[in-house]
Amino acid sequence: MGRGQRAVKRLFASPEKYSRNFPLRNGTRARFLPSTFRMAGFRLFDLNEAQREAVTTTDGPLLILAGAGTGKTRVITARAAYLIAQGADPASVLAVTFTNKAAKEMRERLASMIEKSEAKKVTMATFHALCVRLLRSGIDRLGYKNNFTIYDESDQMGLLRKIINQTAARDEKLEPNLAKNLISKAKNNHWSAPADEQTLIGAVYARYQTALKNLNAVDFDDLLVLCVQLLDGHPDVRAKWQARFRYLMVDEFQDTNKLQLQLVTLLSGPERNVCVVGDDDQSIYGWRGAEVSNILEFEHHFPNPKVVKLEENYRSTNPILAAANAVIKNNPRRRPKHLRSNIAGDEKVRLIQMPDDRQEAQFIAEEIHRRQMQTGEAFENFAVLFRMNAQSRLLEGNLRELKIPYRVIGGKSFFDRREVKDVIAYATALLNPDDDISLLRIINTPARGISAMTTERALELSVQRRCSLFAALQLPEFAESLPAKARESIRAFARLLTDYEAKLHTPLADAAAVWSALIEEVGYLADMKRSCKVADDALKRESNVRDLIETLRQRAQPEAAQRVWSSLDAKSGAESLRGFLDDLALKNEREDEDDDKGSGVTLITLHAAKGLEFPHVYLIGLEEGLLPHDRSKMEGTVDEERRLLYVGITRAMRTLALTHCSTRIKFGSAAACSPSSFIKELPDEHLERLDLATILSKPVEATDAKAWFAKMRAAIGAPS
């Protein structure tokens, strides 16, 4: 052990004894007071043993295996501060991550540990931001000008539409979005555009790249591709940046793809001072190109690394961690880790069998409501995690009914999805054809020969005549100004609406049946399926439409009305539909207010939940075919599904409930469900197996009842 190492070891034990300039192993002296950490509420000796080892290992390749909740961000920033304390130039330290949010958090933490002027010199950026910086000073080597433009998604789509229109033959079709995705996949796999034009997508790819270069523009994928080309093909440029960044740190290394690994390899100099931080057990983005092999085979890319495991979890109780450890150990290809915690907590993980998804959603909403009333905890402490976005719909309805604020993360709110808005617009137009907003949404959806130009002319006329768009469309003078084909399309559309409006107002009409028949007649679902590039996406969107109509049907039944919507029984088809839409409108207004505040119960997909934590977590839909997803069995990605469950479990801090249903509504009808095969992997000693009937039959404890009534009295201002 060298002199500097002994000094640092003494510093960990008793920093007060040592002054500003303690000697270090490289012959320099510390650049800031040891007490700087204490002033910021952070001290080196507050780190656990593994964290200290990770922070103080500064030379050569270093792999930090950071399990969930083990303080990896703290370690990364502390390591940057430690490097500077040892005499490293702050400008020579580079930390790369995936999101601007993560980069910002690291910068803020570092600024609280060292002098702000020093912290500003450290480069902490996303991969794309780093590439822009490198390309701005060297892209001219690749035939571009240094003032290149970065195209966002809308710019890309506009250019691709133009190229497809110019390239495709009359009998060829290629959706711009599909083209964008295929080109992105090709770039991230480092596949060049084909030299020939034998396929339409190949021709579009080649012409797209030529057009970008002619426009002196790059897309986001190009930033990585071109940066790798620049560093790989120009040794002097590579040497320049290797000399600049002597210490390289990469966060979330398990999420890197081939290009990002190549970039890291090219930036690492002869000393190979590369520190990567990640967790192969949390690699859940294989579907978008992430290579878990990058972290599993780190030694292949950077020989003889130091490997440090962070296994002390600061987030969850031991029963929660026991469940996570038991599940993830079944993945055959992983780096062994075992999370542990010193957090007190003996409440077991609950595994609850539900009769169906409606009762699942109702139970969760009511339990959150009851817990909040009893304990006064903020609704933000509760989160519901799910595999598929569509699972949020029933939860949203029940939370709204109980006036519980919520926010949807990782996907659109059910009521904001395009197909939901479309079919609601059809229903609204039946009740009020003079609603211009709804009419504009459906007038050519699906396409029925009413062009945007025709609609625009009708709108201008409606303004002149001060009438609705629907009325303007039917004015004789407007009809006479149109070609015969457009005139007939408008007449057919008007007849369609008036016919179904009459059906809706028929005594004892079934509003749900009328609405459903209209959607079928216009061919909305068939058109929607044709527009989807992925079969699963089409099925989910169709299910959303059918579930919405089914909700109206259920609402007409007193039992369902009390359970889901608590609304008055409708007296006619029109009144039933109008009451339903009014209910949605009022509840959407409350939702908008809640979203503005960003508050309430969190509804979130498992993918989007990574990196977050919540005191109370409900992880729903633990069923075969849903988690693990059916597709994973065909594609051989069950291991990634297990990692997804592991990520979900480790979001919970204090309590965790897992649910699975005997039946679930799919495409408007009940389908039998089987418990997930992952359930067998959960540890019995830390698991409480329950079913909904048992929970509901359990008497309410006196203390709980008193707390609830006290809360209610306080809410209405009554004396206690």
Side-chain angles (χ1 to χ4, degrees):
M1 182 181 292
R3 185 182 175 194
Q5 287 177 304
R6 285 194 295 270
V8 172
K9 187 174 181 180
R10 291 195 299 270
L11 171 64
F12 292 156
S14 183
E16 291 81 3
K17 294 181 181 179
Y18 300 96
S19 64
R20 178 186 184 93
N21 294 312
F22 60 93
L24 299 167
R25 74 176 168 186
N26 61 1
T28 63
R29 305 183 81 80
R31 299 179 57 155
F32 61 83
L33 283 166
S35 60
T36 301
F37 285 147
R38 296 199 307 278
M39 290 165 57
F42 177 87
R43 298 175 297 188
L44 282 172
F45 64 84
D46 283 339
L47 298 171
N48 64 43
E49 186 177 347
Q51 290 175 331
R52 286 200 300 270
E53 186 178 11
V55 166
T56 57
T57 301
T58 58
D59 297 332
L62 170 64
L63 170 59
I64 303 175
L65 294 170
T70 55
K72 70 179 179 65
T73 304
R74 185 187 195 199
V75 168
I76 293 171
T77 48
R79 189 172 185 274
Y82 184 79
L83 282 166
I84 296 166
Q86 280 198 309
D89 182 352
S92 71
V93 179
L94 168 65
V96 189
T97 187
F98 278 84
T99 65
N100 289 314
K101 180 182 177 183
K104 181 182 178 183
E105 182 183 355
M106 286 194 292
R107 280 194 295 269
E108 289 174 348
R109 287 200 185 197
L110 184 61
S112 72
M113 294 179 184
I114 63 175
E115 293 293 331
K116 289 185 178 180
S117 59
E118 298 278 86
K120 286 180 180 178
K121 297 175 186 177
V122 177
T123 301
M124 291 183 161
T126 63
F127 275 100
H128 289 108
L130 174 66
C131 290
V132 170
R133 181 172 179 176
L134 272 60
L135 290 172
R136 285 293 179 201
S137 65
I139 200 172
D140 56 303
R141 302 286 191 99
L142 304 176
Y144 292 77
K145 298 176 183 176
N146 289 337
N147 65 341
F148 61 88
T149 299
I150 302 171
Y151 269 23
D152 62 16
E153 187 172 354
S154 63
D155 296 326
Q156 280 182 271
M157 294 296 285
L159 181 57
L160 281 169
R161 286 191 187 96
K162 179 181 175 182
I163 291 170
I164 291 169
N165 289 337
Q166 294 171 345
T167 307
R170 185 170 292 182
D171 60 341
E172 289 183 309
K173 286 188 177 181
L174 178 62
E175 288 294 327
N177 195 56
L178 176 61
K180 180 180 74 70
N181 292 339
L182 291 173
I183 291 171
S184 177
K185 183 176 181 180
K187 289 183 178 182
N188 280 286
N189 281 290
H190 225 171
W191 301 335
S192 299
D196 57 63
E197 295 190 0
Q198 293 183 359
T199 64
L200 177 57
I201 183 60
V204 169
Y205 183 11
R207 295 183 185 189
Y208 171 71
Q209 282 307 108
T210 300
L212 280 175
K213 195 163 187 178
N214 290 340
L215 293 164
N216 195 38
V218 300
D219 61 26
F220 274 90
D221 294 314
D222 284 333
L223 292 174
L224 277 166
V225 172
L226 295 175
C227 199
V228 167
Q229 284 182 15
L230 178 64
L231 295 174
D232 192 34
H234 300 273
D236 59 324
V237 176
R238 183 168 67 248
K240 167 191 168 184
W241 289 108
Q242 287 177 349
R244 168 64 187 276
F245 297 127
R246 292 190 57 231
Y247 299 96
L248 174 58
M249 293 186 285
V250 184
D251 190 19
E252 303 286 9
F253 191 66
Q254 77 280 349
D255 293 336
T256 53
N257 60 25
K258 292 178 182 177
L259 268 179
Q260 289 157 339
L261 173 63
Q262 197 171 351
L263 177 63
V264 171
T265 305
L266 289 167
L267 280 174
S268 61
E271 298 166 325
R272 294 298 212 201
N273 292 330
V274 177
C275 166
V276 303
V277 186
D279 181 7
D280 52 299
D281 290 336
Q282 295 187 72
S283 179
I284 59 174
Y285 297 119
W287 50 276
R288 68 181 187 195
E291 297 274 355
V292 68
S293 60
N294 288 357
I295 194 168
L296 293 175
E297 299 169 7
F298 182 73
E299 291 87 345
H300 174 74
H301 306 288
F302 299 93
N304 304 314
K306 178 71 172 289
V307 179
V308 178
K309 295 182 183 180
L310 304 183
E311 298 173 297
E312 186 171 345
N313 178 284
Y314 294 94
R315 174 188 298 157
S316 309
T317 64
N318 273 310
I320 292 170
L321 297 181
N325 288 329
V327 167
I328 201 62
K329 74 178 183 182
N330 292 283
N331 268 3
R333 193 164 178 253
R334 63 183 289 264
R335 291 181 180 267
K337 292 176 290 295
H338 189 84
L339 296 181
R340 60 185 183 277
S341 173
N342 291 321
I343 299 174
D346 54 5
E347 184 170 337
K348 292 185 176 183
V349 174
R350 291 186 298 163
L351 176 65
I352 308 171
Q353 180 176 348
M354 300 287 182
D356 57 49
D357 50 347
R358 294 180 182 276
Q359 294 185 67
E360 175 187 59
Q362 182 190 2
F363 166 76
I364 290 171
E366 289 177 350
E367 182 168 276
I368 290 173
H369 186 258
R370 176 177 56 79
R371 282 190 171 190
Q372 196 278 333
M373 292 295 286
Q374 289 173 357
T375 65
E377 282 194 76
F379 283 119
E380 289 74 21
N381 286 357
F382 299 87
V384 186
L385 279 54
F386 36 81
R387 177 67 175 82
M388 310 292 289
N389 281 319
Q391 290 172 263
S392 72
R393 184 186 68 81
L394 291 172
L395 288 160
E396 289 185 65
N398 281 274
L399 291 170
R400 289 175 172 198
E401 184 60 33
L402 292 171
K403 297 182 175 61
I404 297 174
Y406 69 91
R407 54 182 182 155
V408 181
I409 301 177
K412 293 181 180 178
S413 167
F414 177 82
F415 300 99
D416 287 336
R417 291 168 189 155
R418 191 182 80 189
E419 65 274 13
V420 173
K421 283 182 172 288
D422 286 345
V423 295
I424 286 177
Y426 267 103
T428 304
L430 283 184
L431 291 168
N432 180 15
D434 292 331
D435 182 336
D436 285 0
I437 300 298
S438 296
L439 201 71
L440 281 169
R441 189 171 188 98
I442 66 170
I443 193 168
N444 204 42
T445 304
R448 52 174 60 89
I450 304 175
S451 69
M453 186 178 295
T454 299
T455 304
E456 187 174 341
R457 287 172 56 194
L459 277 171
E460 290 174 358
L461 184 59
S462 72
V463 172
Q464 293 171 9
R465 293 300 183 88
R466 296 184 179 181
C467 63
S468 70
L469 173 62
F470 190 66
L473 287 168
Q474 299 176 86
L475 288 171
E477 63 196 82
F478 180 72
E480 290 169 5
S481 70
L482 298 175
K485 190 174 181 181
R487 186 163 57 241
E488 182 51 38
S489 295
I490 289 174
R491 285 174 179 168
F493 177 62
R495 281 197 304 270
L496 176 79
L497 285 185
T498 53
D499 287 348
Y500 273 90
E501 183 184 13
K503 290 178 183 179
L504 189 64
H505 284 84
T506 301
L508 303 179
D510 182 342
V514 173
W515 192 15
S516 180
L518 172 61
I519 299 304
E520 291 292 340
E521 181 166 336
V522 300
Y524 180 82
L525 294 176
D527 181 73
M528 183 187 68
K529 287 178 183 177
R530 285 192 295 270
S531 70
C532 293
K533 301 299 170 286
V534 181
D536 278 357
D537 188 34
L539 289 173
K540 282 186 286 186
R541 292 174 65 186
E542 180 183 357
S543 180
N544 288 339
V545 172
R546 296 196 184 281
D547 284 355
L548 184 67
I549 296 172
E550 178 62 21
T551 301
L552 172 60
R553 184 174 287 111
Q554 292 283 338
R555 183 182 184 273
Q557 301 169 12
E559 180 183 348
Q562 291 169 15
R563 185 174 74 242
V564 181
W565 296 101
S566 298
S567 301
L568 296 174
D569 294 336
K571 296 179 180 179
S572 71
E575 289 177 21
S576 176
L577 184 57
R578 184 176 292 110
F580 177 70
L581 295 179
D582 287 348
D583 213 354
L584 287 183
L586 291 171
K587 287 167 181 172
N588 272 322
E589 183 181 21
R590 286 201 297 271
E591 180 186 61
D592 291 342
E593 291 173 359
D594 295 331
D595 284 348
D596 289 341
K597 298 173 185 175
S599 62
V601 176
T602 300
L603 307 183
I604 188 168
T605 62
L606 288 163
H607 282 100
K610 184 169 171 288
L612 303 178
E613 60 184 30
F614 307 93
H616 307 290
V617 167
Y618 296 86
L619 201 166
I620 69 173
L622 210 55
E623 295 142 26
E624 203 67 11
L626 196 53
L627 186 64
H629 196 278
D630 275 331
R631 191 172 58 246
S632 68
K633 298 175 184 178
M634 296 183 288
E635 298 175 352
T637 56
V638 173
D639 286 1
E640 184 157 319
E641 293 289 296
R642 186 179 281 108
R643 293 195 289 268
L644 197 56
L645 175 58
Y646 172 83
V647 166
I649 291 173
T650 53
R651 299 312 95 195
M653 300 169 69
R654 286 156 47 194
T655 70
L656 172 65
L658 309 171
T659 69
H660 63 98
C661 297
S662 299
T663 62
R664 186 173 291 277
I665 298 295
K666 296 179 181 178
F667 312 115
S669 59
C673 302
S674 301
S676 169
S677 53
F678 294 153
I679 288 176
K680 298 175 184 176
E681 301 170 2
L682 295 167
D684 284 329
E685 63 271 27
H686 296 287
L687 201 65
E688 183 180 10
R689 296 177 184 269
L690 301 163
D691 60 71
L692 184 59
T694 302
I695 294 173
L696 295 179
S697 64
K698 185 179 178 181
V700 179
E701 293 184 12
T703 53
D704 290 344
K706 286 180 180 178
W708 187 85
F709 282 117
K711 185 84 174 177
M712 289 297 292
R713 282 194 295 270
I716 63 175
S720 55

